[in-house]
């Protein structure tokens, strides 16, 4: 049971819905030989606590090769006290919502899951939850014209969602007031703010600089702020680059000097040669005369 539960939890971290065969490859090939009643009993043991506590049912992740939940998953849903589904379509919609809840809870970072879909006594989805939730949009009016947004906006690992350029100032102000690991969150926002300065028009750029300055002072005053590597100035970077270049050229210069000295020696073949016997004696005899 623990191996099966771990395999299902691992699937949620990758936002995948495995088949029973895929689970057998992860949790143990002996799962393939289980009958449908045995599978139901094993899944009930995995999800029994989840049904009582309101946590996502991991059995709802299981799908067939066609992408639908196996019919026996409905027996698991009913056994753990979540209700009875009247049709395969209701079971499919219920499992889709439960899978989304599992992705949110077991994802990184973990977040609060939306409410579970309720089932009526007739096995249908409750009317107030049958419709998809309305997606609210926030429209931001900016001064100074439109703001250029990058086609693909990367986000640091400490941010669950990367705010827009016009939202970073508000996010920095909120980061100084929020609870939890505020310095890491604020530092991640500061990285986005530095990129946004190249795209924002005035006066949004000035407003963002004010928020960045206040956030930097706030980060410097906190003892739990992650340490940052000191940035080298351009002059220091040029000096370091020159030293590296000099270290590379030095062996080449020594080799050229050695070759030049060898060529000078080659021009005078008698340099360093010993005189022939009697030559020095004859020169000394001439001097005496």
């Amino acid at each position: 049971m623990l191996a099966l539960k771990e395999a299902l939890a691992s699937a949620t971290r990758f936002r995948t819905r495995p088949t029973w065969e895929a689970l057998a490859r992860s949790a143990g090939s002996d799962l393939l030989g289980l009958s449908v009643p045995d599978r139901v009993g094993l899944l009930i043991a995995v999800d029994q606590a989840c049904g009582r506590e309101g946590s996502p049912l991991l059995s709802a992740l299981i799908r067939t090769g066609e992408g639908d939940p196996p019919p026996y998953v409905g027996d698991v849903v009913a056994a753990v006290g979540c209700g009875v589904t009247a049709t395969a379509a209701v079971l499919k919609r219920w499992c889709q919502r439960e899978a989304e809840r599992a992705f949110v809870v077991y994802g990184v970072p973990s977040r609060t899951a939306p409410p579970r879909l309720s089932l009526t006594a007739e096995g249908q989805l409750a009317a107030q939850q049958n419709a998809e939730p309305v997606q609210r949009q926030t429209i931001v009016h900016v001064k100074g014209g439109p703001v250029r947004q990058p086609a693909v906006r990367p986000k640091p690992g400490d941010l669950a969602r990367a705010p827009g350029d016009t939202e970073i100032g508000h996010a920095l102000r909120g980061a100084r007031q929020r609870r939890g690991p505020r310095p890491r969150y604020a530092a991640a926002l500061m990285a986005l703010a530095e990129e946004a300065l190249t795209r924002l028009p005035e006066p949004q750029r000035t407003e963002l600089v004010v928020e960045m300055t206040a956030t930097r002072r706030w980060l410097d005053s906190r003892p739990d702020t992650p340490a940052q590597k000191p940035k080298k100035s351009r002059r220091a970077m040029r000096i370091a680059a020159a030293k590296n270049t000099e270290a590379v050229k030095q062996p080449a210069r020594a080799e050229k000097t050695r070759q030049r000295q060898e060529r000078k020696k080659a021009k005078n073949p008698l340099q360093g040669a010993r005189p022939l016997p009697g030559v020095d004696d004859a020169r000394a005899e001439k001097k005496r005369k």
Side-chain angles (χ1 to χ4, degrees):
M1 183 191 73
L2 293 178
L4 178 59
K5 185 175 182 179
E6 179 59 31
L8 287 169
S10 177
T12 61
R13 288 189 281 270
F14 291 98
R15 300 183 67 86
T16 58
R17 297 185 62 185
T19 61
W20 187 263
E21 290 73 19
L23 287 174
R25 289 193 294 269
S26 301
S29 58
D30 52 339
L31 294 178
L32 288 176
L34 293 180
S35 62
V36 170
D38 291 336
R39 295 183 187 184
V40 171
L42 189 58
L43 291 172
I44 290 174
V46 170
D47 283 336
Q48 213 156 19
C50 299
R52 292 192 301 269
E53 299 171 357
S55 302
L57 263 63
L58 295 178
S59 58
L61 295 169
I62 303 174
R63 62 173 179 84
T64 62
E66 291 75 23
D68 299 325
Y72 58 80
V73 172
D75 299 334
V76 180
V77 175
V80 296
C82 293
V84 178
T85 55
T87 64
V90 173
L91 177 62
K92 181 176 182 179
R93 178 68 188 92
W94 193 92
C95 288
Q96 286 175 345
R97 176 60 171 268
E98 205 66 10
E100 293 170 2
R101 298 179 71 241
F103 294 156
V104 170
V105 171
Y106 292 95
V108 179
S110 178
R111 301 188 299 277
T112 303
R116 175 180 291 159
L117 292 180
S118 299
L119 295 170
T120 63
E122 293 77 19
Q124 301 295 331
L125 295 175
Q128 67 273 17
Q129 294 178 330
N130 196 8
E132 290 292 336
V134 177
Q135 297 291 334
R136 296 184 177 180
Q137 296 181 351
T138 303
I139 300 175
V140 180
H141 298 277
V142 298
K143 303 176 184 178
V147 179
R148 293 187 299 108
Q149 295 285 356
V152 179
R153 184 177 182 81
K155 61 182 178 63
D158 295 301
L159 297 179
R161 182 186 70 88
D165 290 346
T166 56
E167 304 171 349
I168 295 178
H170 299 285
L172 286 172
R173 193 178 307 116
R176 301 194 297 268
Q177 302 171 356
R178 64 177 288 180
R179 298 179 179 179
R182 294 181 291 172
R184 295 183 63 88
Y185 179 78
L189 287 174
M190 289 288 287
L192 292 180
E194 292 178 357
E195 298 176 4
L197 287 177
T198 62
R199 297 187 291 266
L200 282 172
E202 290 291 345
Q204 288 79 30
R205 186 186 299 113
T206 303
E207 294 173 356
L208 181 57
V209 169
V210 172
E211 291 297 334
M212 291 175 65
T213 303
T215 304
R216 174 51 58 196
R217 291 174 181 170
W218 177 80
L219 285 171
D220 294 340
S221 65
R222 291 184 61 90
D224 53 346
T225 299
Q228 294 183 352
K229 294 182 179 180
K231 293 184 178 180
K232 291 184 179 180
S233 63
R234 293 184 178 180
R235 183 172 179 274
M237 294 175 65
R238 287 197 297 268
I239 293 175
K243 288 182 178 180
N244 292 336
T245 305
E246 184 66 23
V248 173
K249 290 182 177 180
Q250 203 167 17
R253 288 177 180 173
E255 179 63 19
K256 287 183 179 179
T257 303
R258 186 185 63 80
Q259 293 177 357
R260 190 161 51 248
Q261 291 175 352
E262 289 181 354
R263 284 196 298 269
K264 287 182 179 179
K265 290 180 180 180
K267 289 181 181 178
N268 188 3
L270 296 179
Q271 184 178 1
R274 298 178 62 184
L276 295 174
V279 173
D280 290 343
D281 297 340
R283 290 177 181 175
E285 185 65 25
K286 289 180 179 180
K287 288 181 179 181
R288 284 196 297 271
K289 291 180 179 180

